[in-house]
C-alpha cells in the first residue's frame, strides 16, 4: 500500500485529465478492485449498521475466516441506503458479480459463506447482484438496480455510498475523486467556477432553495481581505439523518465539495459545523481531511496553483436554533447562539464581519459532479426550475425506510408506493410530514404532487432539509403537532417575544386539547375553547413578527395539520375523542364483564390503583382515577379491556 500511496501522490495531477496513461489506469483499477484474485466481502459499517449489529457480524466473519483458513478481504463500506436491510453484506467472488445480502447477523455468517463459496446460495436474505462488463452473471438472480427501492431512485450524490471504503483516500481517488478540485484550481478562475454552478441551476438543499451560484457571487463580489466557507452539517430536525449517512459513507466527496466552494468564493478557510453526538461520522470526516492534507490537496500553494486552503471541524453546542445562519455564526465567534436581524446577510457581513457562504451538506455534495460533468449535464435531470436530485430520510410507517435520492419532478406517490413499498402491517396511509419540525403535512389527495421547489411552494409545502415521515391511520395528528410544538418551544432561544411566548402558549393550548378537563362544570371548559380559537391568531403573529426562521416557521406543522386534518382537531375539542387512541388524556377504558375472568392481572399492574373487584369475578375501572396509560389493555389476555 505504501507503493500505491507514493504512486498516487506523484501522479494525482493526472486526474484532471479525462484520459490516463495505461500504467496509471492499471494501478487505479487494482485499487477499485476491477479484478480480484480472491473473494472480497463488503460490510456496511454506518451508524444504522452498527445499531443492527454489524460489529458482531464482522467479528463472526473474522472467526469464520480464521477457522477455515480462507483468504478473503473484508472491506468496511458506508451505508447503501435501506435501513431495513442492515447489516447489509456484499460478497464478490473472483470474476463474478457482487451479491448483496440483507440482515446478516452474526449467526447467519457461517451458513451464508458456506453456501456462497460452494455455489449453494440461500435466497432468503438475497437482495440482488451488481456488476459490469467482464464479470460473470449469477443465473436466476435479479439485479440490485431492479429492486423497487433502487429502481425509482437517481443516485448521483449517493453514488459512492456503500461502494468503497470511506476511510481510504486511495479508493476515492481511484474512483475519480478530487479530479474536479484539481481541475478547478488549475484551470478556472473564481468567477468561472461561480458561473458554472449558476448555469447548472443548483439551488440550496437546506429548504429555502436559493440559487447557490448567485449566493457565491454575492460573497465573491464583496470587497474583503478574507472570506469564509461554512458547511452546515448540524441536521438536528427530528427524523432527519441524511447528512450523517453521507459523512459516514462518502466523506471525501464532501471535503472536495467544500474545497471547490471555498475556492469559488476566494476563501482560504473552510469550516464544517458538525452535529454533537455523531462521533462515528466526525471521525471519518476528520480522517478524510487529514488524508487530503497529507496528499497535498489541502494546505499552502496546492499543486503549485497559488491557492491556499485549510478545512477544520467545529462542533455545535447542542441547540437546534444554532442551525440558523446568524446563530451559527455567533456560535463560531464564541458567543451565545442567538439569531440576528437580517440584512446584512452573511454573504456580505458574516463570520468576524467577513463575507461568509453557508451551504448544507447535500448542496456541497453536488459540486464535484457538476464540475466533472458540466452544468448542462446537471440540468438534464429534474425540472426546469429545480434541476438535479433531492435526498430524503424516509422514516415512519412505510414498509421500507432509509435514505433515498430521487430526481426532481418525482411524484410523492412514487416514493410512497414504490420506494417505501407502501404502508407496513396493511394499515391505511394517512399522510406525510415533510420538512422536519417546521415542515408541513401532505395528504393522500396530494400524492401526485412532485418534488419541485415551485410546485411545493404553491401548495404551501416545505421541502426542508430532507425529513420525510410516513404517517398511517394509527397516528394522531394532534399529538404529532403537539410533539413538534414542544420541540420548538424547548429549542427557542428566547430572544424575541413572539417565538418565546408563542410556542409556549401554543403548546399549552394543544396539551389542553389532548386531555379531558378535570372539572366539566367549571370555567376551564370555556377557557379551553377560547384557547383553541386563539391558535390560528397566535400562529399568524409568530410567522409575521418572529426574528428568525425558527419562530417564523414554528407554526407550520399546526397550520398545515389544521388545514388538512381539521376534523381530527374538532373531534378532540368537541367530542373529546382521539380516533387513533393515542392521546391518553382522552381514552376511556371499560371492562367487558362478559369477557373478564377476574384474573386480577390488570388490577395488579395498574399504576393508579383504578381497578377494583373480587377475584374470579368481573372487575371494573374507576374512571375518575384512571390516567389512560393503557397498561391494563396491554396485559389483559382475554381482550376484556375496551377503549372508548
Amino acid at each position: 500500500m505504501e507503493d500505491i500511496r507514493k504512486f498516487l501522490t506523484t501522479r494525482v495531477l493526472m486526474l484532471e485529465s479525462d484520459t490516463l496513461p495505461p500504467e496509471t489506469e492499471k494501478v487505479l483499477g487494482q485499487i477499485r478492485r476491477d479484478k480480484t484474485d480472491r473473494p472480497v466481502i463488503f460490510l456496511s459499517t454506518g451508524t444504522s449498521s452498527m445499531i443492527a449489529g454489524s460489529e458482531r457480524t464482522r467479528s463472526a466473519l473474522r472467526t469464520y475466516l480464521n477457522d477455515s483458513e480462507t483468504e478473503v478481504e473484508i472491506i468496511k463500506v458506508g451505508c447503501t441506503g435501506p435501513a431495513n436491510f442492515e447489516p447489509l453484506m456484499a460478497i464478490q467472488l473472483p470474476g463474478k458479480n457482487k451479491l448483496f445480502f440483507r440482515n446478516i447477523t452474526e449467526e447467519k455468517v457461517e451458513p451464508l459463506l458456506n453456501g456462497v463459496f460452494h455455489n449453494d446460495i440461500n435466497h432468503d436474505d438475497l437482495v440482488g447482484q451488481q456488476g459490469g462488463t467482464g464479470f460473470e452473471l449469477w443465473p436466476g438472480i435479479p439485479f440490485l438496480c431492479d429492486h423497487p427501492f433502487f429502481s425509482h431512485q437517481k443516485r448521483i450524490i449517493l453514488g459512492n455510498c456503500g461502494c468503497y471504503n470511506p476511510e481510504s483516500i486511495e479508493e476515492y481517488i481511484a474512483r475519480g475523486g478530487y479530479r474536479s478540485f484539481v481541475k478547478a484550481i488549475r484551470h478556472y478562475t473564481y468567477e468561472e467556477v461561480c458561473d458554472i454552478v449558476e448555469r447548472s441551476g443548483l439551488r440550496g438543499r437546506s429548504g429555502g432553495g436559493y440559487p447557490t451560484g448567485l449566493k457565491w457571487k454575492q460573497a465573491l463580489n464583496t470587497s474583503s481581505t478574507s472570506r469564509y466557507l461554512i458547511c452546515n452539517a448540524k441536521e438536528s430536525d427530528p427524523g432527519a439523518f441524511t447528512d450523517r449517512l453521507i459523512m459516514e459513507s462518502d466523506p471525501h466527496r464532501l471535503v472536495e465539495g467544500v474545497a471547490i466552494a471555498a475556492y469559488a468564493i476566494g476563501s482560504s478557510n473552510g469550516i464544517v459545523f458538525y452535529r454533537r453526538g455523531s462521533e462515528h461520522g466526525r471521525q471519518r470526516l476528520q480522517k478524510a481531511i487529514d488524508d487530503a492534507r497529507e496528499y497535498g490537496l489541502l494546505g499552502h500553494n496546492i499543486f503549485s496553483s497559488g491557492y491556499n486552503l485549510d478545512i477544520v471541524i467545529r462542533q455545535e453546542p447542542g441547540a437546534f436554533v444554532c442551525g440558523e445562519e446568524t446563530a451559527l455564526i455567533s456560535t463560531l465567534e464564541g458567543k451565545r447562539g442567538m439569531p440576528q436581524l437580517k440584512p446584512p446577510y452573511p454573504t456580505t457581513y458574516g463570520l468576524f464581519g467577513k463575507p461568509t457562504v453557508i451551504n448544507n451538506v447535500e448542496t456541497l455534495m453536488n459540486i464535484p459532479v457538476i464540475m466533472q460533468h458540466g452544468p448542462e449535464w446537471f440540468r438534464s435531470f429534474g425540472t426546469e426550475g429545480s434541476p438535479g436530485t433531492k435526498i430524503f430520510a424516509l422514516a415512519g410507517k412505510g414498509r421500507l425506510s432509509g435514505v433515498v435520492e430521487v430526481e426532481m419532478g418525482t411524484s410523492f406517490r412514487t416514493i410512497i408506493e414504490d420506494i417505501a413499498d407502501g404502508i407496513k402491517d396493511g394499515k391505511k396511509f394517512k399522510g406525510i410530514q415533510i420538512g422536519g419540525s417546521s415542515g408541513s403535512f401532505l395528504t393522500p389527495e396530494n400524492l401526485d404532487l412532485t418534488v419541485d421547489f415551485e410546485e411545493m411552494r404553491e401548495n404551501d409545502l416545505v421541502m426542508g432539509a430532507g425529513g420525510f415521515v410516513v404517517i398511517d391511520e394509527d397516528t394522531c395528528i394532534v399529538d404529532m403537532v403537539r410533539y413538534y410544538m414542544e420541540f420548538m418551544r424547548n429549542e427557542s432561544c428566547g430572544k424575541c417575544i413572539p417565538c418565546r411566548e408563542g410556542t409556549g402558549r401554543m403548546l399549552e393550548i394543544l396539551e389542553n386539547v389532548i386531555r379531558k378537563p378535570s372539572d366539566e362544570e367549571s370555567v376551564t371548559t370555556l377557557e379551553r375553547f377560547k384557547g383553541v380559537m386563539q391558535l390560528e391568531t397566535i400562529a399568524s403573529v409568530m410567522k409575521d413578527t418572529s426574528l428568525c426562521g425558527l419562530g417564523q416557521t414554528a407554526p407550520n406543522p399546526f397550520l398545515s395539520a389544521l388545514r388538512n386534518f381539521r376534523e381530527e382537531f374538532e373531534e378532540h375539542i368537541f367530542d373529546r375523542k382521539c380516533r387513533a387512541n393515542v392521546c391518553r388524556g382522552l381514552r376511556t377504558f371499560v371492562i367487558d364483564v362478559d369477557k373478564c375472568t377476574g384474573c386480577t392481572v390488570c388490577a395488579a399492574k395498574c399504576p393508579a390503583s383504578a381497578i377494583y373487584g373480587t377475584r374470579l369475578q368481573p372487575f371494573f375501572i374507576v374512571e375518575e382515577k384512571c390516567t389512560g396509560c393503557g397498561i391494563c389493555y396491554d396485559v389483559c389476555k382475554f381482550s376484556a379491556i375496551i377503549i372508548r
Side-chain angles (χ1 to χ4, degrees):
M1 182 58 75
E2 188 59 35
D3 292 339
I4 293 176
R5 178 185 294 272
K6 226 166 149 184
F7 182 91
L8 288 175
T9 303
T10 55
R11 288 166 172 78
V12 71
L13 286 175
M14 294 181 181
L15 294 179
E16 63 180 294
S17 172
D18 292 330
T19 58
L20 301 176
E23 66 274 11
T24 301
E25 188 58 51
K26 181 179 179 181
V27 175
L28 296 181
Q30 292 174 354
I31 301 173
R32 289 194 301 263
R33 301 178 186 84
D34 291 344
K35 293 183 179 179
T36 60
D37 55 1
R38 57 179 175 173
V40 181
I41 296 176
F42 303 85
L43 181 63
S44 179
T45 57
T47 297
S48 60
S49 314
M50 293 191 293
I51 292 173
S54 66
E55 290 298 310
R56 294 190 296 273
T57 300
R58 189 152 65 100
S59 178
L61 277 172
R62 288 172 175 168
T63 301
Y64 174 89
L65 297 176
N66 289 335
D67 292 345
S68 61
E69 297 182 354
T70 305
E71 188 178 356
V72 176
E73 185 179 8
I74 302 176
I75 307 297
K76 296 190 298 182
V77 297
C79 292
T80 307
N84 302 74
F85 293 176
E86 300 294 354
L88 184 67
M89 182 190 295
I91 304 175
Q92 184 170 18
L93 300 183
K96 290 194 173 185
N97 276 350
K98 190 186 298 184
L99 293 175
F100 285 81
F101 298 89
R102 62 185 172 189
N103 309 128
I104 304 304
T105 50
E106 54 185 328
E107 65 274 6
K108 295 182 179 180
V109 168
E110 184 174 351
L112 173 65
L113 295 184
N114 284 337
V116 173
F117 292 156
H118 294 87
N119 205 23
D120 181 20
I121 300 172
N122 184 351
H123 288 246
D124 292 341
D125 298 317
L126 181 64
V127 181
Q129 63 175 314
Q130 184 184 63
T133 305
F135 290 94
E136 181 183 347
L137 296 176
W138 291 88
I141 296 177
F143 279 88
L144 187 70
C145 60
D146 294 331
H147 190 283
F149 185 87
F150 296 100
S151 63
H152 295 88
Q153 295 188 47
K154 188 69 177 179
R155 294 171 68 88
I156 296 175
I157 298 174
L158 301 181
N160 281 340
C161 295
C163 298
Y164 82 106
N165 181 0
E167 297 181 10
S168 171
I169 188 173
E170 292 85 5
E171 290 193 36
Y172 182 70
I173 292 175
R175 299 177 68 86
Y178 292 111
R179 177 182 299 184
S180 298
F181 175 56
V182 173
K183 184 184 294 186
I185 63 175
R186 290 175 61 86
H187 295 285
Y188 294 108
T189 64
Y190 304 150
E191 293 83 0
E192 287 173 334
V193 176
C194 291
D195 284 338
I196 291 173
V197 174
E198 186 175 22
R199 292 204 311 273
S200 74
L202 176 65
R203 301 172 66 168
R205 297 301 197 250
S206 59
Y210 192 80
T212 303
L214 183 59
K215 177 187 280 191
W216 289 6
K217 283 187 174 181
Q218 290 171 352
L220 179 63
N221 294 331
T222 301
S223 179
S224 179
T225 56
S226 61
R227 298 176 183 84
Y228 293 93
L229 188 286
I230 299 175
C231 171
N232 187 353
K234 190 176 184 317
E235 192 184 37
S236 51
D237 269 329
F241 42 88
T242 59
D243 289 358
R244 182 176 62 193
L245 179 139
I246 288 171
M247 288 184 285
E248 291 175 351
S249 305
D250 198 7
H252 282 285
R253 184 185 284 186
L254 178 59
V255 173
E256 186 174 10
V258 171
I260 296 172
Y263 175 76
I265 66 171
S267 171
S268 297
N269 303 283
I271 301 172
V272 179
F273 191 69
Y274 199 78
R275 179 179 181 178
R276 179 183 295 272
S278 302
E279 188 62 22
H280 184 50
R282 189 200 67 78
Q283 290 176 353
R284 284 190 169 173
L285 183 61
Q286 185 62 62
K287 187 177 190 306
I289 293 172
D290 294 341
D291 288 347
R293 189 179 293 114
E294 183 180 347
Y295 267 72
L297 293 159
L298 298 176
H300 180 72
N301 192 22
I302 302 171
F303 290 120
S304 304
S305 64
Y307 178 59
N308 310 323
L309 174 66
D310 196 21
I311 300 175
V312 296
I313 299 176
R314 292 290 180 264
Q315 195 166 342
E316 55 95 16
F320 176 78
V321 72
C322 290
E324 195 274 338
E325 287 187 337
T326 57
L328 183 156
I329 289 172
S330 295
T331 301
L332 291 175
E333 292 175 341
K335 304 172 185 175
R336 181 180 176 185
M338 299 180 72
Q340 307 297 322
L341 285 171
K342 292 185 289 188
Y345 292 96
T347 50
T348 56
Y349 188 88
L351 184 61
F352 303 119
K354 305 297 183 181
T356 303
V357 167
I358 302 175
N359 291 132
N360 79 330
V361 171
E362 184 181 348
T363 305
L364 293 171
M365 290 288 288
N366 281 287
I367 303 302
V369 292
I370 291 174
M371 294 301 299
Q372 180 181 355
H373 300 290
E376 291 76 19
W377 171 86
F378 187 76
R379 275 197 173 275
S380 67
F381 306 110
T383 64
E384 179 64 27
S386 302
T389 61
K390 181 72 184 84
I391 298 180
F392 290 109
L394 196 59
K397 301 302 181 69
R399 292 187 62 194
L400 294 178
S401 60
V403 175
V404 302
E405 182 179 3
V406 297
E407 187 173 355
M408 287 286 193
T410 302
S411 71
F412 289 99
R413 185 180 301 279
T414 298
I415 299 176
I416 291 294
E417 296 181 357
D418 297 323
I419 299 178
D421 197 23
I423 309 302
K424 59 185 176 183
D425 301 327
K427 297 292 184 178
K428 183 180 178 182
F429 171 71
K430 190 171 188 175
I432 303 168
Q433 204 282 333
I434 187 170
S437 56
S438 57
S440 47
F441 290 90
L442 186 144
T443 60
E445 293 75 22
N446 295 326
L447 272 182
D448 290 320
L449 293 177
T450 61
V451 181
D452 180 273
F453 284 106
E454 304 306 330
E455 185 173 345
M456 292 183 67
R457 186 177 292 114
E458 290 170 2
N459 289 273
D460 294 320
L461 295 172
V462 180
M463 182 84 72
F468 194 105
V469 182
V470 182
I471 304 169
D472 69 0
E473 58 185 318
D474 290 339
T475 303
C476 174
I477 295 296
V478 180
D479 182 67
M480 192 172 188
V481 171
R482 184 210 60 79
Y483 165 77
Y484 282 121
M485 190 53 60
E486 182 180 24
F487 177 83
M488 300 302 279
R489 191 278 309 269
N490 293 341
E491 296 296 341
S492 173
C493 72
K495 183 175 183 177
C496 68
I497 294 174
C499 178
R500 182 183 70 231
E501 299 299 330
T503 52
R505 178 59 180 152
M506 288 186 72
L507 175 61
E508 181 184 355
I509 295 171
L510 288 169
E511 286 181 336
N512 285 333
V513 167
I514 63 172
R515 65 170 180 259
K516 295 179 181 179
S518 57
D519 185 359
E520 291 285 351
E521 303 300 326
S522 70
V523 295
T524 57
T525 302
L526 178 61
E527 292 176 353
R528 184 167 172 261
F529 290 139
K530 287 174 64 179
V532 171
M533 294 172 62
Q534 295 173 0
L535 276 172
E536 287 187 86
T537 302
I538 296 172
S540 177
V541 171
M542 288 177 61
K543 288 180 71 71
D544 293 338
T545 60
S546 291
L547 177 63
C548 76
L550 186 146
Q552 294 165 6
T553 59
N556 283 351
F558 165 73
L559 292 174
S560 177
L562 190 64
R563 182 170 59 251
N564 294 301
F565 302 98
R566 179 176 287 271
E567 68 281 0
E568 283 201 40
F569 282 86
E570 292 175 349
E571 286 179 1
H572 280 71
I573 296 169
F574 299 110
D575 301 332
R576 299 185 180 90
K577 176 184 176 182
C578 175
R579 64 173 66 178
N581 287 321
V582 170
C583 300
R584 293 183 178 182
L586 297 180
R587 294 194 294 188
T588 300
F589 291 89
V590 178
I591 295 179
D592 186 340
V593 295
D594 295 329
K595 294 183 178 180
C596 181
T597 63
C599 68
T600 74
V601 172
C602 59
K605 296 291 185 179
C606 179
S609 300
I611 303 178
Y612 292 87
T614 303
R615 184 175 177 80
L616 302 182
Q617 297 295 324
F619 277 56
F620 64 94
I621 299 174
V622 180
E623 186 176 341
E624 290 76 13
K625 297 183 67 176
C626 179
T627 62
C629 66
I631 294 178
C632 58
Y633 181 85
D634 295 333
V635 300
C636 181
K637 300 178 181 179
F638 305 99
S639 302
I641 309 292
I642 302 171
I643 303 176
R644 289 181 180 174

